[in-house]
Amino acid sequence: MKISYFAVAFSIGIALASPLHAAAEKANTSATTVAAGMPSNEGKVLSTLDAPGYTYMELATTEKRFWIAAPTTRVKVGDHVRFEQSLVMKNFKSSTLNRTFDQIIFVNSATIVK
């Protein structure tokens, strides 16, 4: 059975979610600051990439753009998404997508906000 690096990293992130979440928040305080009215765990979908078992989403707030990776989620460009943060990784290489993300947030869930 072939396991991707992403699956291993995601599993580790889930197992250690609380400590990593706290450390990520402290390390990225300025990165998680957003404009009034939009929490740091929400954004508008700019683009999506699908991989087996996962949906990668580029999100935007009024102050920043960032990527999240969630379990497969049906979203489209323009949707407003709220997520539960789990693990932040820098320079993450996805062999499935053949792409390196400067920073990506692995999330436990992503939900469309109406």
Side-chain angles (χ1 to χ4, degrees), residues 62-84:
T62 54
E63 293 186 355
K64 66 178 181 165
R65 293 168 65 148
F66 56 99
W67 283 90
I68 68 170
T72 302
T73 308
R74 291 185 130 184
V75 296
K76 61 185 182 303
V77 172
D79 283 345
H80 184 105
V81 173
R82 179 177 298 139
F83 58 90
E84 183 181 324

PDB file of all heavy atoms in Angstrom, residues 62-84:
ATOM      1  N   THR A  62      -9.389  39.931   3.253  1.00  0.00           N
ATOM      2  CA  THR A  62      -9.061  41.259   2.731  1.00  0.00           C
ATOM      3  C   THR A  62      -7.585  41.592   2.887  1.00  0.00           C
ATOM      4  O   THR A  62      -7.084  42.483   2.219  1.00  0.00           O
ATOM      5  CB  THR A  62      -9.904  42.354   3.424  1.00  0.00           C
ATOM      6  OG1 THR A  62      -9.733  42.229   4.836  1.00  0.00           O
ATOM      7  CG2 THR A  62     -11.362  42.226   3.056  1.00  0.00           C
ATOM      8  N   GLU A  63      -6.873  40.834   3.732  1.00  0.00           N
ATOM      9  CA  GLU A  63      -5.459  41.133   3.986  1.00  0.00           C
ATOM     10  C   GLU A  63      -4.456  40.108   3.467  1.00  0.00           C
ATOM     11  O   GLU A  63      -3.275  40.402   3.394  1.00  0.00           O
ATOM     12  CB  GLU A  63      -5.228  41.308   5.486  1.00  0.00           C
ATOM     13  CG  GLU A  63      -5.910  42.536   6.045  1.00  0.00           C
ATOM     14  CD  GLU A  63      -5.558  42.770   7.488  1.00  0.00           C
ATOM     15  OE1 GLU A  63      -4.866  41.933   8.098  1.00  0.00           O
ATOM     16  OE2 GLU A  63      -5.987  43.793   8.026  1.00  0.00           O
ATOM     17  N   LYS A  64      -4.903  38.892   3.153  1.00  0.00           N
ATOM     18  CA  LYS A  64      -3.925  37.873   2.769  1.00  0.00           C
ATOM     19  C   LYS A  64      -4.545  36.793   1.898  1.00  0.00           C
ATOM     20  O   LYS A  64      -5.753  36.657   1.810  1.00  0.00           O
ATOM     21  CB  LYS A  64      -3.289  37.233   4.001  1.00  0.00           C
ATOM     22  CG  LYS A  64      -4.274  36.424   4.821  1.00  0.00           C
ATOM     23  CD  LYS A  64      -3.599  35.764   6.001  1.00  0.00           C
ATOM     24  CE  LYS A  64      -4.630  34.951   6.771  1.00  0.00           C
ATOM     25  NZ  LYS A  64      -4.039  34.032   7.677  1.00  0.00           N
ATOM     26  N   ARG A  65      -3.653  36.024   1.260  1.00  0.00           N
ATOM     27  CA  ARG A  65      -4.015  34.828   0.487  1.00  0.00           C
ATOM     28  C   ARG A  65      -3.226  33.685   1.083  1.00  0.00           C
ATOM     29  O   ARG A  65      -2.055  33.838   1.432  1.00  0.00           O
ATOM     30  CB  ARG A  65      -3.632  35.010  -0.974  1.00  0.00           C
ATOM     31  CG  ARG A  65      -4.431  36.085  -1.676  1.00  0.00           C
ATOM     32  CD  ARG A  65      -3.836  36.432  -3.005  1.00  0.00           C
ATOM     33  NE  ARG A  65      -3.900  35.293  -3.915  1.00  0.00           N
ATOM     34  CZ  ARG A  65      -4.036  35.399  -5.221  1.00  0.00           C
ATOM     35  NH1 ARG A  65      -4.089  36.586  -5.791  1.00  0.00           N
ATOM     36  NH2 ARG A  65      -4.094  34.329  -5.992  1.00  0.00           N
ATOM     37  N   PHE A  66      -3.853  32.498   1.166  1.00  0.00           N
ATOM     38  CA  PHE A  66      -3.176  31.354   1.754  1.00  0.00           C
ATOM     39  C   PHE A  66      -3.831  30.073   1.258  1.00  0.00           C
ATOM     40  O   PHE A  66      -4.923  30.085   0.711  1.00  0.00           O
ATOM     41  CB  PHE A  66      -3.213  31.418   3.289  1.00  0.00           C
ATOM     42  CG  PHE A  66      -4.601  31.517   3.870  1.00  0.00           C
ATOM     43  CD1 PHE A  66      -5.250  30.400   4.361  1.00  0.00           C
ATOM     44  CD2 PHE A  66      -5.255  32.740   3.938  1.00  0.00           C
ATOM     45  CE1 PHE A  66      -6.525  30.488   4.895  1.00  0.00           C
ATOM     46  CE2 PHE A  66      -6.526  32.840   4.477  1.00  0.00           C
ATOM     47  CZ  PHE A  66      -7.175  31.713   4.955  1.00  0.00           C
ATOM     48  N   TRP A  67      -3.116  28.949   1.445  1.00  0.00           N
ATOM     49  CA  TRP A  67      -3.600  27.637   1.010  1.00  0.00           C
ATOM     50  C   TRP A  67      -3.950  26.789   2.209  1.00  0.00           C
ATOM     51  O   TRP A  67      -3.265  26.829   3.236  1.00  0.00           O
ATOM     52  CB  TRP A  67      -2.522  26.915   0.203  1.00  0.00           C
ATOM     53  CG  TRP A  67      -2.388  27.415  -1.195  1.00  0.00           C
ATOM     54  CD1 TRP A  67      -1.567  28.424  -1.627  1.00  0.00           C
ATOM     55  CD2 TRP A  67      -3.087  26.949  -2.342  1.00  0.00           C
ATOM     56  NE1 TRP A  67      -1.724  28.596  -2.979  1.00  0.00           N
ATOM     57  CE2 TRP A  67      -2.657  27.703  -3.447  1.00  0.00           C
ATOM     58  CE3 TRP A  67      -4.050  25.951  -2.543  1.00  0.00           C
ATOM     59  CZ2 TRP A  67      -3.137  27.497  -4.727  1.00  0.00           C
ATOM     60  CZ3 TRP A  67      -4.535  25.740  -3.822  1.00  0.00           C
ATOM     61  CH2 TRP A  67      -4.077  26.511  -4.902  1.00  0.00           C
ATOM     62  N   ILE A  68      -5.036  26.009   2.053  1.00  0.00           N
ATOM     63  CA  ILE A  68      -5.376  24.983   3.033  1.00  0.00           C
ATOM     64  C   ILE A  68      -5.532  23.658   2.292  1.00  0.00           C
ATOM     65  O   ILE A  68      -5.787  23.641   1.091  1.00  0.00           O
ATOM     66  CB  ILE A  68      -6.659  25.309   3.829  1.00  0.00           C
ATOM     67  CG1 ILE A  68      -7.907  25.269   2.946  1.00  0.00           C
ATOM     68  CG2 ILE A  68      -6.530  26.634   4.561  1.00  0.00           C
ATOM     69  CD1 ILE A  68      -9.221  25.336   3.720  1.00  0.00           C
ATOM     70  N   ALA A  69      -5.361  22.563   3.022  1.00  0.00           N
ATOM     71  CA  ALA A  69      -5.620  21.229   2.490  1.00  0.00           C
ATOM     72  C   ALA A  69      -6.615  20.567   3.435  1.00  0.00           C
ATOM     73  O   ALA A  69      -6.380  20.493   4.636  1.00  0.00           O
ATOM     74  CB  ALA A  69      -4.332  20.420   2.418  1.00  0.00           C
ATOM     75  N   ALA A  70      -7.742  20.133   2.883  1.00  0.00           N
ATOM     76  CA  ALA A  70      -8.818  19.546   3.675  1.00  0.00           C
ATOM     77  C   ALA A  70      -9.164  18.170   3.126  1.00  0.00           C
ATOM     78  O   ALA A  70      -8.896  17.875   1.961  1.00  0.00           O
ATOM     79  CB  ALA A  70     -10.051  20.442   3.610  1.00  0.00           C
ATOM     80  N   PRO A  71      -9.806  17.339   3.960  1.00  0.00           N
ATOM     81  CA  PRO A  71     -10.353  16.113   3.398  1.00  0.00           C
ATOM     82  C   PRO A  71     -11.272  16.507   2.234  1.00  0.00           C
ATOM     83  O   PRO A  71     -11.829  17.615   2.223  1.00  0.00           O
ATOM     84  CB  PRO A  71     -11.152  15.508   4.556  1.00  0.00           C
ATOM     85  CG  PRO A  71     -10.506  16.080   5.788  1.00  0.00           C
ATOM     86  CD  PRO A  71     -10.066  17.458   5.388  1.00  0.00           C
ATOM     87  N   THR A  72     -11.431  15.645   1.249  1.00  0.00           N
ATOM     88  CA  THR A  72     -12.191  15.974   0.042  1.00  0.00           C
ATOM     89  C   THR A  72     -13.456  16.753   0.381  1.00  0.00           C
ATOM     90  O   THR A  72     -14.265  16.321   1.201  1.00  0.00           O
ATOM     91  CB  THR A  72     -12.550  14.697  -0.737  1.00  0.00           C
ATOM     92  OG1 THR A  72     -11.334  14.019  -1.064  1.00  0.00           O
ATOM     93  CG2 THR A  72     -13.313  15.024  -2.002  1.00  0.00           C
ATOM     94  N   THR A  73     -13.572  17.933  -0.234  1.00  0.00           N
ATOM     95  CA  THR A  73     -14.671  18.854   0.037  1.00  0.00           C
ATOM     96  C   THR A  73     -15.158  19.425  -1.284  1.00  0.00           C
ATOM     97  O   THR A  73     -14.350  19.835  -2.120  1.00  0.00           O
ATOM     98  CB  THR A  73     -14.189  20.023   0.938  1.00  0.00           C
ATOM     99  OG1 THR A  73     -13.539  19.482   2.089  1.00  0.00           O
ATOM    100  CG2 THR A  73     -15.331  20.913   1.365  1.00  0.00           C
ATOM    101  N   ARG A  74     -16.463  19.474  -1.485  1.00  0.00           N
ATOM    102  CA  ARG A  74     -17.017  20.063  -2.706  1.00  0.00           C
ATOM    103  C   ARG A  74     -17.146  21.565  -2.510  1.00  0.00           C
ATOM    104  O   ARG A  74     -18.004  22.033  -1.765  1.00  0.00           O
ATOM    105  CB  ARG A  74     -18.378  19.469  -3.010  1.00  0.00           C
ATOM    106  CG  ARG A  74     -18.307  18.035  -3.419  1.00  0.00           C
ATOM    107  CD  ARG A  74     -19.648  17.562  -3.825  1.00  0.00           C
ATOM    108  NE  ARG A  74     -19.465  16.907  -5.118  1.00  0.00           N
ATOM    109  CZ  ARG A  74     -20.429  16.420  -5.838  1.00  0.00           C
ATOM    110  NH1 ARG A  74     -21.669  16.540  -5.440  1.00  0.00           N
ATOM    111  NH2 ARG A  74     -20.181  15.823  -6.976  1.00  0.00           N
ATOM    112  N   VAL A  75     -16.252  22.303  -3.150  1.00  0.00           N
ATOM    113  CA  VAL A  75     -16.281  23.769  -3.109  1.00  0.00           C
ATOM    114  C   VAL A  75     -16.068  24.295  -4.512  1.00  0.00           C
ATOM    115  O   VAL A  75     -15.573  23.592  -5.382  1.00  0.00           O
ATOM    116  CB  VAL A  75     -15.204  24.353  -2.166  1.00  0.00           C
ATOM    117  CG1 VAL A  75     -15.446  23.960  -0.725  1.00  0.00           C
ATOM    118  CG2 VAL A  75     -13.813  23.950  -2.599  1.00  0.00           C
ATOM    119  N   LYS A  76     -16.431  25.556  -4.692  1.00  0.00           N
ATOM    120  CA  LYS A  76     -16.173  26.197  -5.981  1.00  0.00           C
ATOM    121  C   LYS A  76     -15.625  27.588  -5.735  1.00  0.00           C
ATOM    122  O   LYS A  76     -15.757  28.138  -4.637  1.00  0.00           O
ATOM    123  CB  LYS A  76     -17.439  26.221  -6.834  1.00  0.00           C
ATOM    124  CG  LYS A  76     -18.599  26.975  -6.253  1.00  0.00           C
ATOM    125  CD  LYS A  76     -19.830  26.816  -7.147  1.00  0.00           C
ATOM    126  CE  LYS A  76     -21.020  27.581  -6.649  1.00  0.00           C
ATOM    127  NZ  LYS A  76     -21.479  27.284  -5.315  1.00  0.00           N
ATOM    128  N   VAL A  77     -15.002  28.142  -6.753  1.00  0.00           N
ATOM    129  CA  VAL A  77     -14.454  29.487  -6.669  1.00  0.00           C
ATOM    130  C   VAL A  77     -15.577  30.434  -6.277  1.00  0.00           C
ATOM    131  O   VAL A  77     -16.685  30.367  -6.809  1.00  0.00           O
ATOM    132  CB  VAL A  77     -13.810  29.897  -8.013  1.00  0.00           C
ATOM    133  CG1 VAL A  77     -13.419  31.369  -7.995  1.00  0.00           C
ATOM    134  CG2 VAL A  77     -12.602  29.016  -8.300  1.00  0.00           C
ATOM    135  N   GLY A  78     -15.292  31.289  -5.296  1.00  0.00           N
ATOM    136  CA  GLY A  78     -16.278  32.252  -4.817  1.00  0.00           C
ATOM    137  C   GLY A  78     -16.953  31.847  -3.523  1.00  0.00           C
ATOM    138  O   GLY A  78     -17.526  32.680  -2.826  1.00  0.00           O
ATOM    139  N   ASP A  79     -16.900  30.538  -3.170  1.00  0.00           N
ATOM    140  CA  ASP A  79     -17.493  30.090  -1.911  1.00  0.00           C
ATOM    141  C   ASP A  79     -16.749  30.706  -0.735  1.00  0.00           C
ATOM    142  O   ASP A  79     -15.547  30.966  -0.802  1.00  0.00           O
ATOM    143  CB  ASP A  79     -17.420  28.557  -1.773  1.00  0.00           C
ATOM    144  CG  ASP A  79     -18.453  27.825  -2.602  1.00  0.00           C
ATOM    145  OD1 ASP A  79     -19.417  28.464  -3.080  1.00  0.00           O
ATOM    146  OD2 ASP A  79     -18.293  26.603  -2.787  1.00  0.00           O
ATOM    147  N   HIS A  80     -17.454  30.909   0.358  1.00  0.00           N
ATOM    148  CA  HIS A  80     -16.864  31.372   1.619  1.00  0.00           C
ATOM    149  C   HIS A  80     -16.713  30.135   2.494  1.00  0.00           C
ATOM    150  O   HIS A  80     -17.691  29.442   2.761  1.00  0.00           O
ATOM    151  CB  HIS A  80     -17.792  32.407   2.277  1.00  0.00           C
ATOM    152  CG  HIS A  80     -17.228  33.004   3.515  1.00  0.00           C
ATOM    153  ND1 HIS A  80     -16.713  34.274   3.558  1.00  0.00           N
ATOM    154  CD2 HIS A  80     -17.080  32.498   4.764  1.00  0.00           C
ATOM    155  CE1 HIS A  80     -16.285  34.526   4.789  1.00  0.00           C
ATOM    156  NE2 HIS A  80     -16.499  33.471   5.533  1.00  0.00           N
ATOM    157  N   VAL A  81     -15.476  29.843   2.930  1.00  0.00           N
ATOM    158  CA  VAL A  81     -15.179  28.603   3.653  1.00  0.00           C
ATOM    159  C   VAL A  81     -14.672  28.918   5.051  1.00  0.00           C
ATOM    160  O   VAL A  81     -13.869  29.821   5.249  1.00  0.00           O
ATOM    161  CB  VAL A  81     -14.117  27.784   2.877  1.00  0.00           C
ATOM    162  CG1 VAL A  81     -13.665  26.571   3.671  1.00  0.00           C
ATOM    163  CG2 VAL A  81     -14.657  27.356   1.529  1.00  0.00           C
ATOM    164  N   ARG A  82     -15.160  28.138   6.004  1.00  0.00           N
ATOM    165  CA  ARG A  82     -14.658  28.178   7.385  1.00  0.00           C
ATOM    166  C   ARG A  82     -13.983  26.832   7.633  1.00  0.00           C
ATOM    167  O   ARG A  82     -14.492  25.798   7.228  1.00  0.00           O
ATOM    168  CB  ARG A  82     -15.808  28.375   8.369  1.00  0.00           C
ATOM    169  CG  ARG A  82     -15.347  28.407   9.836  1.00  0.00           C
ATOM    170  CD  ARG A  82     -16.495  28.679  10.796  1.00  0.00           C
ATOM    171  NE  ARG A  82     -17.043  29.991  10.511  1.00  0.00           N
ATOM    172  CZ  ARG A  82     -18.348  30.275  10.513  1.00  0.00           C
ATOM    173  NH1 ARG A  82     -19.245  29.348  10.771  1.00  0.00           N
ATOM    174  NH2 ARG A  82     -18.763  31.506  10.240  1.00  0.00           N
ATOM    175  N   PHE A  83     -12.835  26.854   8.320  1.00  0.00           N
ATOM    176  CA  PHE A  83     -12.095  25.610   8.545  1.00  0.00           C
ATOM    177  C   PHE A  83     -11.611  25.503   9.976  1.00  0.00           C
ATOM    178  O   PHE A  83     -11.530  26.494  10.698  1.00  0.00           O
ATOM    179  CB  PHE A  83     -10.905  25.500   7.579  1.00  0.00           C
ATOM    180  CG  PHE A  83      -9.923  26.635   7.681  1.00  0.00           C
ATOM    181  CD1 PHE A  83      -8.848  26.561   8.551  1.00  0.00           C
ATOM    182  CD2 PHE A  83     -10.070  27.771   6.903  1.00  0.00           C
ATOM    183  CE1 PHE A  83      -7.932  27.609   8.642  1.00  0.00           C
ATOM    184  CE2 PHE A  83      -9.167  28.821   6.986  1.00  0.00           C
ATOM    185  CZ  PHE A  83      -8.093  28.733   7.857  1.00  0.00           C
ATOM    186  N   GLU A  84     -11.307  24.264  10.353  1.00  0.00           N
ATOM    187  CA  GLU A  84     -10.731  23.981  11.660  1.00  0.00           C
ATOM    188  C   GLU A  84      -9.256  23.670  11.435  1.00  0.00           C
ATOM    189  O   GLU A  84      -8.906  22.648  10.843  1.00  0.00           O
ATOM    190  CB  GLU A  84     -11.433  22.784  12.299  1.00  0.00           C
ATOM    191  CG  GLU A  84     -10.931  22.478  13.687  1.00  0.00           C
ATOM    192  CD  GLU A  84     -11.630  21.276  14.283  1.00  0.00           C
ATOM    193  OE1 GLU A  84     -12.832  21.082  14.037  1.00  0.00           O
ATOM    194  OE2 GLU A  84     -10.940  20.516  14.992  1.00  0.00           O
TER     195      GLU A  84
END
